[in-house]
Amino acid sequence: MPDRSFLDWPFFEPRHREWAEKLDAWCAQNLPADHHDVDAACRSLVDLLGRDGWLKPTAVDAANPAPLDVRMLCITRETLARHDGLADFAFAMQGLGTGAISLFGTDGQKRWLEKTRAGKAISAFALSEPRSGSDVANMDMTATKDGDSYVLDGEKTWISNGGIADLYVVFARTGEAPGAKGISAFLVPADAKGLEVAERLEVIAPHPLARLSFEGVRVPASAMIGRPGEGFKIAMSVLDVFRSTVGAAALGFARRAFDESVKRAGERKLFGAPLAELQMVQGHLAEMALDIDAAALLIYRAAWTKDSGAARVTREAAMAKLFATDKAQEVIDKAVQLHGGDGVRKGHIVESLYREIRALRIYEGASDVQKVVIARQVLADVQKT
Ligand SMILES: Cc1cc2nc3c(=O)[nH]c(=O)nc-3n(C[C@H](O)[C@H](O)[C@H](O)COP(=O)(O)OP(=O)(O)OC[C@H]3O[C@@H](n4cnc5c(N)ncnc54)[C@H](O)[C@@H]3O)c2cc1C
């Protein structure tokens, strides 16, 4: 029986607990999805999650506006990831892809959110470029003002949902100032003329991913999200909300790996007794349980802090993402070890978790970058005192 005691922690309100229990029951009925065709799987997961109301936390409800509920985002990602990585991906991208619109969009732009929250449109977040992944302020893509329009030229890469999205939030250089202060954000429908999928990218845990090319893509000036030159700030604000949720997905993967390991250790008999009676195995299980609880505390601390009204949770979110993703990798590696040959067998759940977890330590700021973020914040705080 998976550990649910964390739901009693004071970070949560009754609505979070109720949601988590109902979602868990829904997942048991509806997941995992068939992953053979990842595009089709993602489309149908978005449709299914939307139909049954699970995408509502991903974006603000324009008719009834309230801030994004980060604890709800985290608990949803944790639960989905425990059941099916692709379901978590489908949910997460509906949030990351529309985050800029939820936080900074006009009423007109927010009309898209009705569709994305209902699973009727798929969204994507297009920030990274071939030359600027971690060094995002160094991007090359341009958006040139031409009368009442902007014309976008350049390339984006590693774009999740690239190829199946209906809308892209795209960051491009508008040149108000050099570096980070000269970037703006745009809402670009997938059918905009000049926007093409240049290449589909295959990764170790398959999901829709593409390099996109923009050649003279004309959008009205009203497609700009926020003000000219605010794009970098917008991107960072979106990541400030969603970074902790990456940790939550990692936590879901780790919990699943742990549950599978406990089961295996109880069932598998070696040297005349269950594996669980070997003290070295107990040592692994203890370390896994400890890492899971510590990650959960950091994640829900960050989410609760944001939900309690903190303008930014840069340090808390960076700690949550760094610790939860790195430790989930270790937990899953131990799970593979405890499963012996079955652990590396294609199609086994711990084998797929082993592949699923890896990219989480790279995207939305690599682990090394999170360390830089934490250290900078700590040093700045010391200088203030
Ligand atoms: C599966 C997947 C999905 C993605 N989805 C999206 C998406 O939807 N939208 C989007 O815009 N992007 C997306 N990305 C891109 C992702 O955000 C970038 O891959 C990431 O920011 C790293 O950039 P890079 O790949 O160019 O690596 P680089 O920037 O070249 O970095 C390589 C490595 O250098 C090290 N490093 C970098 N900077 C520092 C530093 N300051 N200090 C110390 N070490 C450092 C880190 O180890 C890092 O992993 C996705 C990536 C993957 C793998």
Side-chain angles (χ1 to χ4, degrees):
M1 178 70 183
D3 176 22
R4 312 292 287 153
S5 61
F6 70 99
L7 287 172
D8 295 329
W9 289 353
F11 295 120
F12 300 111
E13 293 173 41
R15 68 173 191 281
H16 300 113
R17 299 185 179 107
E18 206 178 305
W19 176 272
E21 296 294 6
K22 282 190 178 154
L23 177 59
D24 197 37
W26 182 91
C27 290
Q29 290 291 316
N30 293 281
L31 300 179
D34 177 355
H35 290 201
H36 282 99
D37 174 343
V38 282
D39 286 7
C42 279
R43 283 200 184 94
S44 82
L45 279 166
V46 169
D47 191 52
L48 190 64
L49 288 164
R51 185 198 71 188
D52 291 350
W54 301 114
L55 294 177
K56 287 184 181 161
T58 58
V60 298
D61 177 3
N64 190 12
L68 290 168
D69 184 334
V70 186
R71 286 167 294 173
M72 201 67 109
L73 288 167
C74 286
I75 207 145
T76 307
R77 287 201 69 178
E78 179 188 332
T79 308
L80 291 172
R82 193 154 44 76
H83 289 271
D84 182 1
L86 210 55
D88 163 61
F89 168 82
F91 172 87
M93 286 315 302
Q94 292 300 93
L96 184 69
T98 56
I101 306 172
S102 280
L103 299 178
F104 297 93
T106 61
D107 289 345
Q109 291 164 347
K110 282 185 179 151
R111 279 205 280 276
W112 274 102
L113 304 182
E114 287 166 33
K115 288 188 178 178
T116 60
R117 292 174 83 242
K120 299 294 171 211
I122 295 180
S123 65
F125 177 79
L127 181 66
S128 305
E129 297 185 6
R131 227 177 48 83
S132 59
S134 307
D135 186 10
V136 70
N138 199 20
M139 70 173 59
D140 293 316
M141 182 153 169
T142 55
T144 313
K145 186 101 201 271
D146 182 24
D148 279 347
S149 309
Y150 280 89
V151 179
L152 278 66
D153 286 286
E155 257 190 1
K156 294 288 171 187
T157 194
W158 299 116
I159 307 309
S160 296
N161 279 343
I164 67 162
D166 298 293
L167 72 145
Y168 294 90
V169 167
V170 181
F171 297 84
R173 186 162 296 290
T174 37
E176 290 73 19
K181 297 213 164 126
I183 293 167
S184 303
F186 297 90
L187 197 169
V188 183
D191 58 4
K193 200 161 165 266
L195 165 54
E196 302 288 343
V197 174
E199 184 186 6
R200 291 298 298 264
L201 307 172
E202 287 188 28
V203 287
I204 53 175
H207 65 261
L209 201 63
R211 179 165 62 85
L212 306 172
S213 91
F214 294 72
E215 276 184 38
V217 175
R218 186 174 287 274
V219 291
S222 60
M224 184 182 280
I225 303 170
R227 286 199 294 270
E230 277 190 350
F232 186 81
K233 183 185 95 177
I234 291 173
M236 293 307 121
S237 303
V238 171
L239 293 177
D240 210 51
V241 171
F242 286 95
R243 207 162 253 160
S244 316
T245 80
V246 181
L251 176 62
F253 293 147
R255 281 199 200 280
R256 179 63 183 270
F258 181 68
D259 293 345
E260 297 292 333
S261 301
V262 171
K263 197 161 136 244
R264 174 83 176 196
E267 286 169 1
R268 175 83 170 149
K269 291 221 170 49
L270 285 182
F271 313 109
L275 203 55
E277 288 189 17
L278 297 174
Q279 283 200 342
M280 201 140 20
V281 171
Q282 292 174 4
H284 286 318
L285 293 175
E287 283 167 1
M288 292 160 91
L290 175 63
D291 286 341
I292 286 171
D293 272 9
L297 283 163
L298 282 171
I299 290 159
Y300 291 110
R301 188 264 302 247
W304 171 83
T305 307
K306 186 76 178 170
D307 288 343
S308 303
R312 297 296 287 254
V313 285
T314 311
R315 183 177 72 103
E316 291 86 347
M319 285 183 169
K321 189 201 178 242
L322 170 66
F323 189 85
T325 57
D326 279 5
K327 290 298 177 186
Q329 180 91 57
E330 290 177 23
V331 167
I332 293 166
D333 189 58
K334 288 187 175 107
V336 169
Q337 195 71 18
L338 289 175
H339 278 77
D342 283 341
V344 289
R345 194 162 175 196
K346 204 166 173 201
H348 195 286
I349 179 69
V350 294
E351 178 270 344
S352 71
L353 292 166
Y354 191 76
R355 290 182 289 101
E356 289 276 5
I357 187 58
R358 193 60 187 86
L360 278 65
R361 297 172 59 211
I362 295 172
Y363 63 61
E364 292 190 42
S367 293
D368 321 66
V369 173
Q370 304 308 331
K371 287 182 193 163
V372 174
V373 170
I374 295 164
R376 276 198 195 132
Q377 191 89 42
V378 169
L379 293 169
D381 288 348
V382 169
Q383 274 161 13
K384 271 192 236 153
T385 55

